[in-house]
Structures are given as structure tokens and as C-alpha cells.
Amino acid sequence: MRRCRRWSEPSIGALLLLCASPALAQDTDAGNLGDEEPEVHSQVASFAVTRLQESPAVVTAMNAEEIRNSGARDLMDLLLQIPGFFFGVDTQGAVGPGFRGLWGYEGKVLLVVDGKEMNEQLYSTMQLGNEFPIELIERIEVVRGPGSVIYGGNAELAVINVVTRGVQGSTDLMVSGMYGQMGSVNGRRGLTVSGRKVFESAPGLSIFASAGLSQAQRSSGVFQDFFGNSAQLGGNSRLDPTMVQAGVGYKDLQLSVLYQRYGTSAIVAFDEVLEAPAPTNFESLHAELSDRFRPDERVEIIPRLNLTFSKPFSDSDQDSPFFYDKQVLRLRGRTLARWAALDWLQLTGGVDVTSDQGWVNGPVGVGLQTGFGPEEADSVSYVNLAGFVEAFSVNPFINVVAGARVENHSAFGESFVPRLVLLRSFGPFSGKALFSRAFRAPSIENISLGADVRPERTTVLELEGTLRMGDGHALSANAFDMGVADPIIYSYDAVTNTEAYRNLGRLGSRGVELDYHVRGSWGRAALNYSFYTPSGRNDVEDYQVPGQPNAFTGMPTHKAALTGSIKVLPWLTVSPTAVLVGKRYAVDVPDDEGNAAVEELPTQLLLNLFVRAQDVGTRGLEIGAGVYNLTGTNFRIAQPYNGGHAPMPVFSREFMVRISYLLDPVSNE
């Protein structure tokens, strides 16, 4: 693996490290399960590269070894283990994340893969469920808090940063296949191939490519709508992704491309069971070109150019009642400059220019197809200009991170968000105090379907303390308070079959999150707990549960997760997972008298068990087998607003086998 290079050699400046790309800014021994935590460097929460435990945010990270041992099948399995995260179901069978009680599906939680922002541009959503080949993930870092100063208007509540098997590394070849079974229906079937080539004859030159093809079902359970109709999800809830990646790097110059087609189907569209499953496809192409220049030993300049083409929520059948065919082209240019002004001070600044163009394909007024804006235009274009600054000071008294971002969008004007973080260590104890402003920028369809929709604005206060007790033990606790002003609210009128967006009221949540983990030569274990309660003024009826003022619709107030990986033999690891999810509530749309039916989903326990055998018969060959939802719990998730969608089954019992082979000439020497 390519190592980060020191930015300078200050007496306390070991935190000021730089790598060529933020997505690849890491220095970790992924296989280290010894008495001490591996030394990990991250850039997910700051423009500076810091040690992960001193990152200016509340961050949870998992390396490749932990992910493989856990038996995780997709990002949902990983996020379920992280404090604060849960899931909700939305229209057309989509599943997205909620965080700290707030619904984050549209534009509030950002997914980044190798520096490429994966949220689609029409609604800013991210889709979850068998969405990405888990075998390709080298590392995942989750910022449990706002990231707008770094990432802009899709990082209001949290950021999920995924680093894959890209151009960084040694020459190798990986092949992986999996097969799962859910009762009487197929679960997951997939094949993933990935390879890298480092040219020794041309130092600094390397290429990589990967491809993943998979099929799955959301669940084998039975869905029942609020009208009493029911349907079997097995065979009617497909999740079929195709992903291709490729790239080339020469020293600091890198070009990478990612193509994804995510084919889904659902037996429920908005609130009622359908006669036949309706397809919805998500297609996107992401390309990035980046470089790094060092005109001086204390100055670094990183330009990045991104191109994104996407067709989300697509149904190109004009005879379908769900016909929808639009596309978006985004061009984005960013330049970041770092200056190690002093041994204890790093200054960062930059500019970010984005151009979005959207087109309507096919006739307007057919199915769900609309034009843009009240004029029903065939195309639309917007420009967003942004500037950002950050000062990172490392000193013997208290480390300080201060930054801000200002954006100006051609449709809705200016957004300004500051951030201030104080960090201090006292022997084995370290503490953080964080103040952040964040925002959710209206997306193309938010603007098109809304009336003068403005960015929603969030204020977050956080306190985190971590105690490292030696012998691999660490205990972290954090308290948070989040307030959202003018949230962008979605509504759907079933009579007129129209959508609308508007700014309305305020939202807020506060709570605590605890995380304890221990690692040693025997393996690792982790226990975490998260709790939230609505706070401040919460006057958005769409998220309120009638008769339950201490919970938001669909989101459990309590969640606990226990995970572990035990080395039974040097080559054999057993990994149990237990997730306890508290009560949550599903709410039907109000009737003519304003009354809404409420369904309580009980506290439930999800149990998984995965066994992983490495170097089976030959070096590099591993076999894993797991059973998920061991007890066969009828586990359902609700719509996190009062939109009339009944709870949908997920996480059905599944038996899965995974076989992988890694040919690594360097390791085999």
C-alpha cells in the first residue's frame, strides 16, 4: 500500500500529514488485531489528514479485515452496527438511512465512494440494499455528524465515506462469488472480479479494474398495506446491481471511472399493493481526474475535475403508470490549496464550481413524467459557486479546527456554514467539543416541484470523550443536540397524483451514544448504544407520532449492537452479531377528520453468525458461511413520515456462502 508522506516535521505536527487524494488518505495496518489499535490516518472530517481518534468529528471506521470478518452483505449490514443509524422505506420500494431520529434519505446523508459523491442529482437520494460489492471495500469511515463545511449541501446530518480496492496498492487479482438462500426464494447471488497492476519498469504507474454483478431480493416476507391488501416480497423485490470501475495513476495524477446500474422492482408503489412488480432503475457514470502539485515544501495544490451522468428512478416504458425518464449531467471543478504556515498551523482554502443540466426524455404528462418547473420545461440548468477555508492548529494547550463554507446557487441564493472544534488529550483521555452549522441544498426536483424552496439549515452541538484503558480497551461517549430550521418537506397527493416540496417548521433531536471496543490477539469485540429524543420545537406533523411525543415516525429511540470476531484457530474466525432495535411507529395518512392510524412495531433482536476460514488449502483462498436473522424475526421498517406506506419486511432469514481468492504476488514471496 502506498504510504502517506509527512507534510512537515513540527514538534507536535505529526497530525499534519498529506496524501494525494482525500478518498485515499489513510495509513493503516488492516490486519492488525494485536493489543493496540492500528495507527489510522483519515481525511474524512477535515481538509487536514489527522489520526482517526483526533479527527475533528465523531467518526466510526471499519477496515477491510473487520468488514470481511463481520460477514456484512452490503452497506445496510454495516450501518446497522453504527450508533445512530437506522432505515426507512419510501415510495417505489426504496430504502434509505435515518440518523439520530431524523429521516436522511433525501439530501441529508452523503455517500462518497473513492471521492465520488454517489447521491443522485434529481432528488439527492441514496439507495440501500445489495447496492455495492462488499468485497471491494478496503475501508469505510462514517462521520456521525454534519459535513457541510467539507462536502456542501448533501452532508447535513452525516457522511459515509467508502474507500475501495483502487489504484493504490500492489499487483494482485481478486475473485469472489456468493450465494444466498431465503427460505423458498433465492437470496443473493453475485460475482466480483478486481485486479491491480503496478509497473515496476515505470515507477509510479499503476492501473486497476473491477466488476461486480449481483442479484438479490429485498425480503422473503409478506407486505400488507394499510388497505388490507398483501403481497409476497420474495420474487417481487429485486435488487440487481452492476458495477464497473477502472482507473490509471501515474505518481500523483489519477483518472478513475465508476459505472453503476442498480435495477430494482417493488410490489408497492406509493401506498398500495400493485398487481405486478414495477421496475425502477438507477444508472450513473462517475469520472474523476485529480493531480497534486507542490510548488514549495510547505504548499500543496490539489485540483480535481468530476463528471457525473445519472438517470435515477427510471422507468422507460411509456405504457407504465410509473413512466419516468430524466437525466442529469454534472460537471464539477474543485481546487484545494494547503499551506503549512507554521509548524503548528495548517491553513486550507479552495473553490468549488458545479454546473448541473437536467433533461426530460419522452413525453410530459405520461405516467409520473413532469417537466421542470411550472413552465414544464424540457431542460434546466444551474450553477453553484462555493469557497471554503479551514485553519488547523496543533499546540500543547488545545487543538483548534475552525472553518467555513459559503455557496451561491443560481436558483436559491447563498448558504453560509461555519464550524469550530476544540480537541484536547489528557493522558489516556481525549475530548472533543464541536459546534457546526450545516445545510441541505434543494435538488433539481425539489426546486422544480417546490415554491421558492430554500436550503434547510441545521445547528449541531456535540461533546465526545474517549478513554483508552490499555490492553486494547477503549470507551467513547458523546452527547449531541441537533436543530433543523425550515426543513424541506415532501408531500404526495394521491388524488391528483402530484408531488410537492416546501419549507415548513422546525425539527430537532438530542441524545447520547456510547461505544466500547476491545481488541487483542484473540480477536475483537464492540458494544454500542444510541438514544435520541425529539428536542426543541418540533412542529412538522409529517414526522410526528400521534400520542407518542418522544419519538419520530419510523425511527427507534433506542438501538444497541454487539459485534465480535473471535479467532478460534489462526485461520478460522467466528463472528456473531446482535442488534437490538427499540420500538418504532408507522403512521397512516390522516383521514378527513385529521385522525391517523398508528401501528407499533415491537422491540426486536436481530442475530447473525458468520464463520470465515482463510488460506483454505492454498494461500489466498477463503470460504465464509453465514446465517442472518437466525431466529426468523418478522423484521419490518416503516416510512419515516406520515405518507401512508405500511411497514415493509427487510432482513429476512438468509443462509449465505461466500468464496474468495486473492492472488497477491507480493504476499506470496
Side-chain angles (χ1 to χ4, degrees), residues 86-417:
F86 196 63
F87 313 105
V89 61
D90 205 2
T91 57
Q92 296 175 268
V95 171
F99 182 64
R100 292 175 174 171
L102 303 181
W103 182 220
Y105 174 56
E106 287 193 43
K108 291 182 173 68
V109 177
L110 176 66
L111 174 62
V112 181
V113 176
D114 294 336
K116 305 171 183 67
E117 298 187 3
M118 302 298 291
N119 296 51
E120 49 84 15
Q121 283 81 48
L122 286 176
Y123 293 92
S124 296
T125 64
M126 55 177 292
Q127 321 303 318
L128 292 175
N130 198 46
E131 68 294 305
F132 192 86
I134 205 77
E135 299 84 0
L136 296 179
I137 298 180
E138 287 291 314
R139 184 168 185 78
I140 181 172
E141 299 172 328
V142 179
V143 178
R144 291 157 39 209
S148 288
V149 171
I150 307 294
Y151 299 96
N154 281 347
E156 181 186 25
L157 300 181
V159 179
I160 303 165
N161 182 53
V162 176
V163 179
T164 74
R165 288 171 44 85
V167 71
Q168 303 290 322
S170 58
T171 297
D172 61 15
L173 174 66
M174 185 273 292
V175 180
S176 180
M178 66 174 177
Y179 178 82
Q181 185 72 24
M182 293 181 179
S184 59
V185 300
N186 289 327
R188 300 162 197 258
R189 295 171 291 178
L191 177 65
T192 303
V193 180
S194 175
R196 289 183 286 220
K197 172 64 176 177
V198 177
F199 294 89
E200 302 295 340
S201 58
L205 178 63
S206 58
I207 59 174
F208 82 95
S210 64
L213 179 66
S214 177
Q215 296 177 329
Q217 295 290 317
R218 175 75 71 186
S219 168
S220 61
V222 175
F223 171 82
Q224 182 171 352
D225 63 26
F226 281 127
F227 304 99
N229 307 307
S230 61
Q232 178 73 42
L233 291 185
N236 293 315
S237 58
R238 71 183 172 89
L239 304 170
D240 299 346
T242 299
M243 177 170 284
V244 178
Q245 290 177 283
V248 59
Y250 180 68
K251 297 182 179 179
D252 293 315
L253 179 64
Q254 296 185 17
L255 172 65
S256 60
V257 178
L258 186 156
Y259 169 79
Q260 183 185 48
R261 189 180 190 278
Y262 187 51
T264 74
S265 66
I267 198 64
V268 56
F270 295 98
D271 58 357
E272 191 172 5
V273 167
L274 303 172
E275 294 182 358
T280 303
N281 299 313
F282 302 82
E283 188 172 17
S284 61
L285 175 68
H286 307 261
E288 179 179 81
L289 178 66
S290 66
D291 204 349
R292 190 181 84 123
F293 303 98
R294 295 194 63 182
D296 183 84
E297 64 177 6
R298 288 180 173 265
V299 176
E300 180 175 68
I301 300 173
I302 301 176
R304 299 170 67 186
L305 179 64
N306 290 78
L307 179 148
T308 302
F309 174 82
S310 63
K311 293 182 65 176
F313 294 98
S314 176
D315 181 350
S316 57
D317 181 2
Q318 295 187 16
D319 295 326
S320 167
F322 307 108
F323 169 70
Y324 183 86
D325 192 2
K326 298 182 180 181
Q327 64 189 34
V328 180
L329 176 65
R330 166 170 287 186
L331 295 174
R332 186 175 187 180
R334 287 168 283 179
T335 299
L336 178 150
R338 299 186 181 96
W339 177 34
L342 300 168
D343 285 348
W344 50 269
L345 176 65
Q346 177 175 299
L347 301 176
T348 304
V351 295
D352 189 339
V353 181
T354 303
S355 172
D356 288 330
Q357 293 182 297
W359 293 274
V360 175
N361 299 320
V364 171
V366 176
L368 302 178
Q369 185 88 309
T370 61
F372 292 111
E375 300 83 7
E376 296 287 333
D378 291 334
S379 63
V380 68
S381 62
Y382 302 108
V383 175
N384 189 69
L385 306 176
F388 50 86
V389 294
E390 180 184 82
F392 197 121
S393 172
V394 181
N395 58 79
F397 307 104
I398 188 167
N399 295 343
V400 179
V401 182
R405 185 184 189 95
V406 60
E407 293 196 358
N408 189 280
H409 193 278
S410 57
F412 50 78
E414 185 175 294
S415 299
F416 173 75
V417 286

